[in-house]
Amino acid sequence: MDHTHPHSRGGPTNVRNLEYLCETHHMLEQMTQWAVKQGPGGVLEWTSPNGRVYTDTPPPVARFTPPDNEPPPF
């Protein structure tokens, strides 16, 4: 877990300000000129040192799909 807005600079510890980052992405955010902003639904917007923006949309938390050729149970 990582604070999008650093706790040391007043960032709250709540779901809107926490993101799951692997070690590589955490180091990228902490040790380089890359910047990350968190949007609604856990969408992360990464900005490279040259200003290019990359959007990282997480997969849904849960998916419910019926097996092939079988109607849903509801």
Side-chain angles (χ1 to χ4, degrees):
M1 295 294 292
D2 182 54
H3 288 83
T4 305
H5 179 74
H7 187 262
S8 62
R9 295 188 210 144
T13 301
N14 62 38
V15 71
R16 291 181 306 261
N17 193 45
L18 293 173
E19 59 200 9
Y20 285 104
L21 297 178
C22 68
E23 185 177 351
T24 301
H25 283 98
H26 186 257
M27 295 299 288
L28 184 71
E29 179 200 17
Q30 296 291 316
M31 305 296 193
T32 70
Q33 295 299 311
W34 281 78
V36 62
K37 291 191 320 187
Q38 183 176 349
V43 173
L44 299 178
E45 185 179 272
W46 291 87
T47 304
S48 73
N50 67 4
R52 187 167 179 184
V53 176
Y54 300 85
T55 302
D56 185 12
T57 304
V61 175
R63 289 186 198 181
F64 299 99
T65 57
D68 290 339
N69 303 320
E70 205 173 298
F74 44 85

